Amino acid sequence: MLTVPVRQLGESERRAVERLLDLDPFAGAQVAERIAARGLAWWRAEGRILGYGARRNLESLCWIGGNLTPVLATDAAVAAFADLLAGEERLCSSIVGRADAVLGLWDRLSGTWGPARDVRPNQPLLATDALPPVPVDPEVRQVRAGEVDRLFPAAVAMYTEEVGVSPLAEDAGRSYRRRVNDLVRAGRAYARFVDGKVVFKAELAVVTKRTAQVQGVWVAPEWRGRGIATAAMATVVRDALLRVAPTVSLYVNDFNLPARRVYERCGFQPVGTLATVLF
């Protein structure tokens, strides 16, 4: 029996929320970054965060915005979050987080929120705090502000290949281009250029005090199979550890065996399993 109601959390509970997020610094990284930047006030955060547990003993969190992300969600919390969310219109484009919580939510929400465009139930979550044991690629570097036009087509190709839809489909790609611009401006976008074209790219899409989370890793199709990814990725990991955060993390689809081998060579170790439901 559920005896603890779900409630929307506000700025007065920020310290308790941050303590919970510190307990799961990799799976909760995206939520931690948003709260560090904008707090818990919904009008600033572009989302809201639900809590489960007694007021003096917060147990679980659920971020609701462009994505829906459960954090440290117990079975009871998953059931309680789902009961509340089932009565709301789905506005998020995905559910992503620890696999047990995401799949538990989807089992309860699929009847009202379905169908999903794709369900990825097994995405290894990886992290490292050690400099890569392999040589780096000196040609991989941070993308400069004047190179966004060169980076953007590669970013669109990566997104389309990974997510299954083009980021240009909504608002002609203006919001996605702003995101790419922001990453470049923040020194969080990396690429290797050959004859002015991007042949490798990656971004530190999420940065917290605990980790820099790499996303958007992509090798141009004509360069795949040439063995450039390991050294390129090693460059990103080395720079992130020396300049940005004490750990580097990422998650990858279980079926992407070439990428998983690259990450293993760069020193990444498994720290859990995520799942993603895409709409």
Side-chain angles (χ1 to χ4, degrees):
M1 176 180 292
L2 298 176
T3 59
V4 181
V6 173
R7 65 187 189 279
Q8 184 169 329
L9 303 178
E11 193 63 29
S12 65
E13 295 175 282
R14 180 168 178 170
R15 189 167 298 178
V17 169
E18 290 175 339
R19 280 197 297 266
L20 270 188
L21 290 168
D22 275 344
L23 296 176
D24 199 0
F26 304 124
Q30 188 174 40
V31 179
E33 182 187 54
R34 284 187 172 273
I35 289 173
R38 300 192 177 187
L40 272 72
W42 63 266
W43 60 87
R44 291 201 308 267
E46 297 179 349
R48 55 195 171 108
I49 191 160
L50 304 178
Y52 178 86
R55 287 199 172 273
R56 294 189 178 183
N57 186 28
L58 190 62
E59 299 175 25
S60 304
L61 305 172
C62 187
W63 168 264
I64 307 170
N67 302 320
L68 190 153
T69 302
V71 180
L72 294 174
T74 62
D75 289 345
V78 166
F81 291 144
D83 283 347
L84 176 67
L85 294 168
E88 299 184 2
E89 179 186 2
R90 178 188 64 78
L91 299 177
C92 62
S93 61
S94 67
I95 307 173
V96 59
R98 294 272 180 185
D100 53 350
V102 167
L103 298 177
L105 281 170
W106 183 234
D107 185 56
R108 292 169 171 83
L109 292 172
S110 58
T112 53
W113 279 16
R117 185 166 51 81
D118 194 10
V119 177
R120 300 176 182 181
N122 182 10
Q123 297 176 302
L125 177 63
L126 312 173
T128 182
D129 61 1
L131 294 176
V134 294
V136 300
D137 183 346
E139 299 299 316
V140 174
R141 58 173 174 78
Q142 289 173 259
V143 179
R144 303 180 186 112
E147 295 172 322
V148 172
D149 286 344
R150 294 180 179 179
L151 177 63
F152 190 66
V156 170
M158 177 282 304
Y159 187 102
T160 305
E161 187 175 331
E162 173 64 22
V163 180
V165 295
S166 171
L168 306 181
E170 186 175 346
D171 71 8
R174 287 187 294 274
S175 60
Y176 188 63
R177 188 178 181 91
R178 281 196 300 272
R179 172 63 173 163
V180 173
N181 264 308
D182 289 345
L183 290 169
V184 170
R185 206 164 37 238
R188 288 161 54 172
Y190 301 84
R192 177 180 173 183
F193 296 89
V194 174
D195 296 328
K197 293 183 62 177
V198 174
V199 300
F200 167 87
K201 65 168 282 295
E203 294 92 37
L204 305 181
V206 176
V207 173
T208 72
K209 64 182 181 180
R210 302 290 299 277
T211 195
Q213 195 162 95
V214 180
Q215 295 180 17
V217 180
W218 181 82
V219 175
E222 64 273 20
W223 281 77
R224 294 173 190 174
R226 299 194 191 186
I228 72 166
T230 298
M233 190 66 194
T235 305
V236 175
V237 173
R238 179 180 176 83
D239 183 69
L241 287 174
L242 294 177
R243 187 177 61 88
V244 180
T247 68
V248 179
S249 57
L250 55 83
Y251 59 100
V252 58
N253 291 316
D254 62 325
F255 53 79
N256 192 345
L257 297 181
R260 293 178 67 180
R261 286 193 290 268
V262 166
Y263 303 144
E264 184 178 2
R265 294 185 196 113
C266 288
F268 284 91
Q269 299 293 324
V271 292
T273 302
L274 301 192
T276 301
V277 179
L278 294 168
F279 298 107

